Amino acid sequence: MKYYQREIECAPRDTLRALQSERLARTVRHVYQNVAYYRDLMDKKGVGPDDIRSVDDLPKLPFLTKDDLRDAYPYGLLAVPLHDCVRIQSTSGTTGRRVVAFYTQDDIDLWEECCARAIAAAGGTKDDVVHVCYGYGLFTGGPGLNGGSHKVGALTLPMSSGNTDRQVQFMCDLGSTILCCTPSYAAYLAETIVGQGRRDEIKLKAGIFGAEAWSEEMRRDIEKKLGIRAYDIYGLTEISGPGVSFECEEQTGMHINEDHFLAEIIDPDTGETLPDGAKGELVFSCISKKAFPLLRYRTRDICVLSRETCSCGRTLIKMSKPMGRSDDMLIIRGVNVFPSQIETVLLGAGFPSNYQIIVDRVNYTDTFEVQVEMTPEMFSDKVKQIATREEDLLASLRAMLGISPKVTLVAPRTIARSEGKAVRVIDRRKI
Amino acid sequence: MAIDQISIFVENSPGRLAEVTQTLGAAGIDLRAMSIADTMDFGILRLIVNEPARALEVLKAAQCVFSVTPVLAVSVADKPGNLARALSALAAEGVSVEYAYAFIARQRGNAYVIFRVEDNERAQAILEKNGIQVVNSDELYAL
Ligand SMILES: [Zn+2]
């Protein structure tokens, strides 16, 4: 069973297109009637629900961005009464940067079905043992794959993240066959398993790895070490969570579940829609969801869409791995980090806003350093006093970002400036 | 009778310490005493120099981050056991020493200890009450 919903995944293009058009028109009407925020945007653009009859009309709709999510926080983009919602999921970060998404039971089912398609594409069936070590909780990783595994009917191990020795023990004792986690954690687990000499004790056959960028080289390395096929999966909380798109056995891009999520590529500067095959910013419209159906949401991920037929038999459009961002957001250890958040913390803690973020990847794990220039005000002849200030800063950064950087105090004027403007981010990761 | 100690922020990168001391040396500033406190990622260079005022100008021009802290200097060579006596006298009165470092003046064959405490006047009174000579800045700079 390599498909979970064959009739949709392999539907003739015309059938899929007709379904998309019908769902888009219905969703636009639903949003226009129930979301004042988006209705205003549509009115301002002079477009009404009657103007949207097919997917060809998509470019007529206004965009939504993360700024809109901030402005409308928390209920402004909710399209159903709160009593119809059964769940929220959220991203890390502070108010304004944090995304809170709402789900009806149907929305949860749809999301889990998308994850089930990813698991089936990785060879998952009722006979598998799916080992989920994405975080559970507000983060969509754990709940998404957990739900997908249930839909497939596999035995699900809701491990959550951390406690590597226990992960390996369960994997050996219970014969996990499909591993779901971030690629960096998969690499770490692989090293641990090989290091403990337990490679023969595991029964893994496939892995579904997402929530951060990874290279083809890293894929081959994980595959070799664990003796598995490693599949990519993509998603974002704004749209639903993991499973917006997923890889098939061809491993040449991720099939977008476009019966639920319409994808477009736009020029990030002009907003103009680009043809398939062009590189640009990925934009999604949710056409099946009820509670939080964002339309033309700009992901800021830069990638390419491909309509070429796939050997797996799926007709769903494929997207490349994201090749970069059209904003300054960094994804570090799976967590979204904006340089402006770091600036806010520094200023609040009395440090100058002259800082530099250095991101690298060592042994497949992201390293994250924030360099801050020392000032006379923050200086003291006592080590303890400076160390305390450094610790306070670290605690504030951790609270703001959800992950811990290494804080390094540097001498004034040591942070490189080009054309008088400081270089804020140095990303040495080669992905 | 406190003495001005100059504390300088030094990044924990190779050569930074040499750079700072060379800058002062090039300006003809003599170091009387020096101590380095360092952590995993930064260091504090503490100096007693012969011309503090000019040293500050040099450091300012070099855009270093520094501060001036009044510290106490005690001569411990005159009588053996002076250091231990000084420390226990301060401890007995509840004065905690933030840090201390020693240096030797070659010409005189004397050893001195620099003390960093919160209240210099009180610490000095305690030391003198216990018969320990607190050295003034003129003596130290002239070494
Ligand atoms: Zn395929």
Side-chain angles (χ1 to χ4, degrees):
Chain A
M1 184 187 94
K2 70 175 184 179
Y3 311 108
Y4 179 68
Q5 287 163 317
R6 187 193 182 109
E7 68 292 353
I8 286 291
E9 293 174 59
C10 304
R13 287 299 318 165
D14 291 350
T15 311
L16 190 57
R17 212 181 147 74
L19 178 73
Q20 287 173 328
S21 294
E22 181 206 318
R23 286 183 173 175
L24 173 66
R26 197 174 58 206
T27 302
V28 170
R29 197 166 296 281
H30 168 64
V31 169
Y32 191 84
Q33 281 166 2
N34 296 293
V35 183
Y37 189 96
Y38 199 74
R39 179 166 60 237
D40 289 346
L41 291 178
M42 285 177 65
D43 289 346
K44 252 179 235 155
K45 212 166 181 260
V47 55
D50 292 338
D51 299 318
I52 311 298
R53 293 161 192 277
S54 85
V55 288
D56 293 330
D57 299 319
L58 198 53
K60 294 176 186 168
L61 289 170
F63 289 117
L64 283 172
T65 66
K66 223 171 191 125
D67 288 343
D68 292 307
L69 262 58
R70 181 191 56 210
D71 294 346
Y73 177 88
Y75 301 122
L77 290 165
L78 185 61
V80 298
L82 207 50
H83 73 254
D84 287 344
C85 297
V86 297
R87 174 95 66 85
I88 71 147
Q89 299 287 158
S90 179
T91 60
S92 59
T94 47
T95 316
R97 291 297 187 184
R98 184 191 300 134
V99 173
V100 173
F102 300 84
Y103 302 75
T104 64
Q105 186 56 50
D106 285 347
D107 295 339
I108 293 280
D109 286 336
L110 168 166
W111 170 32
E112 291 178 351
E113 279 167 13
C114 289
C115 291
R117 291 179 192 176
I119 294 170
T125 69
K126 287 171 77 72
D127 298 320
D128 279 291
V129 179
V130 177
H131 188 112
V132 183
C133 38
Y134 282 114
Y136 279 67
L138 288 171
F139 177 57
T140 52
L145 272 303
N146 191 93
S149 176
H150 278 230
K151 295 272 185 211
V152 169
L155 176 63
T156 312
L157 306 190
M159 301 297 300
S160 199
S161 53
N163 202 341
T164 303
D165 283 343
R166 189 178 66 189
Q167 302 277 4
V168 175
Q169 197 60 48
F170 268 73
M171 216 174 269
C172 294
D173 294 350
L174 295 166
S176 307
T177 56
I178 297 177
L179 174 64
C180 305
C181 59
T182 60
S184 53
Y185 193 60
Y188 181 68
L189 274 172
E191 260 169 36
T192 307
I193 290 164
V194 172
Q196 292 180 355
R198 307 187 78 170
R199 170 73 148 72
D200 293 341
E201 293 177 54
I202 59 164
K203 296 195 174 64
L204 288 179
K205 63 175 187 185
I208 301 171
F209 307 134
E212 64 187 18
W214 51 313
S215 63
E216 206 51 38
E217 182 196 18
M218 186 167 174
R219 186 210 301 266
R220 297 305 159 211
D221 188 64
I222 297 170
E223 288 187 332
K224 211 175 99 203
K225 281 200 179 117
L226 290 175
I228 62 169
R229 294 290 302 278
Y231 300 95
D232 205 351
I233 185 166
Y234 171 92
L236 56 171
T237 309
E238 294 93 313
I239 301 305
S240 67
V244 170
S245 66
F246 62 97
E247 234 174 18
C248 64
E249 71 237 21
E250 202 181 82
Q251 296 180 319
T252 53
M254 294 174 276
H255 287 288
I256 296 171
N257 285 313
E258 53 176 338
D259 51 328
H260 302 311
F261 314 114
L262 291 186
E264 297 170 88
I265 291 290
I266 62 158
D267 179 325
D269 298 325
T270 64
E272 189 193 336
T273 308
L274 301 175
D276 291 345
K279 186 171 157 182
E281 182 181 331
L282 183 60
V283 174
F284 279 115
S285 298
C286 302
I287 54 170
S288 308
K289 283 166 61 184
K290 291 289 182 308
F292 205 64
L294 299 188
L295 292 166
R296 296 200 92 200
Y297 180 70
R298 295 183 58 165
T299 64
R300 300 290 174 183
D301 281 326
I302 301 292
C303 60
V304 172
L305 296 180
S306 164
R307 280 256 173 242
E308 278 175 40
T309 51
C310 189
S311 61
C312 74
R314 288 179 184 80
T315 49
L316 299 171
I317 196 167
K318 281 201 285 195
M319 61 177 269
S320 67
K321 274 180 192 294
M323 301 158 174
R325 300 273 308 170
S326 68
D327 63 5
D328 59 357
M329 188 181 90
L330 292 159
I331 301 177
I332 305 172
R333 287 176 228 146
V335 175
N336 300 347
V337 172
F338 289 90
S340 59
Q341 294 175 295
I342 292 167
E343 199 165 314
T344 306
V345 172
L346 288 174
L347 291 171
F351 280 94
S353 61
N354 210 17
Y355 64 94
Q356 194 161 54
I357 302 164
I358 299 169
V359 193
D360 205 343
R361 187 162 283 180
V362 180
N363 294 328
Y364 303 118
T365 305
D366 293 337
T367 61
F368 174 24
E369 178 184 358
V370 177
Q371 292 191 344
V372 188
E373 285 187 358
M374 182 46 101
T375 60
E377 295 73 39
M378 298 314 287
F379 183 63
S380 159
D381 66 310
K382 299 181 206 167
V383 171
K384 215 190 297 166
Q385 204 162 347
I386 300 180
T388 305
R389 283 174 189 162
E390 208 177 3
E391 278 159 26
D392 291 348
L393 176 62
L394 183 62
S396 310
L397 283 169
R398 195 186 303 128
M400 170 73 98
L401 305 172
I403 54 168
S404 275
K406 173 184 187 298
V407 170
T408 306
L409 298 172
V410 298
R413 296 179 309 124
T414 44
I415 290 175
R417 289 167 176 78
S418 62
E419 290 161 16
K421 200 174 177 303
V423 181
R424 292 281 170 241
V425 178
I426 296 179
D427 195 340
R428 297 201 184 107
R429 293 176 291 189
K430 288 179 187 70
I431 295 162
Chain B
M1 226 190 290
I3 290 153
D4 284 344
Q5 169 196 271
I6 303 174
S7 310
I8 306 159
F9 176 78
V10 190
E11 217 178 306
N12 246 4
S13 66
R16 270 302 288 168
L17 184 62
E19 226 175 280
V20 175
T21 48
Q22 269 162 24
T23 304
L24 289 169
I29 309 263
D30 285 338
L31 308 187
R32 290 288 174 256
M34 177 176 118
S35 124
I36 303 157
D38 60 357
T39 68
M40 289 291 280
D41 58 4
F42 68 89
I44 301 170
L45 174 63
R46 298 171 186 139
L47 300 176
I48 307 288
V49 299
N50 62 339
E51 292 178 80
R54 212 157 60 76
L56 296 183
E57 278 169 32
V58 172
L59 291 170
K60 205 170 204 172
Q63 291 185 273
C64 288
V65 172
F66 57 86
S67 66
V68 179
T69 318
V71 293
L72 289 183
V74 169
S75 166
V76 293
D78 341 38
K79 289 177 198 152
N82 254 2
L83 176 57
R85 277 208 297 132
L87 286 171
S88 51
L90 292 172
E93 301 269 354
V95 174
S96 59
V97 175
E98 199 73 45
Y99 54 80
Y101 52 99
F103 68 103
I104 293 166
R106 237 179 259 132
Q107 298 93 325
R108 301 197 180 190
N110 249 3
Y112 297 89
V113 177
I114 304 289
F115 286 108
R116 165 71 157 103
V117 294
E118 275 314 318
D119 187 342
N120 281 324
E121 280 179 30
R122 188 161 164 249
Q124 183 169 349
I126 295 166
L127 290 169
E128 284 172 346
K129 198 171 75 190
N130 284 272
I132 295 158
Q133 178 63 43
V134 175
V135 182
N136 66 28
S137 52
D138 291 342
E139 178 181 342
L140 218 54
Y141 297 157
L143 286 177

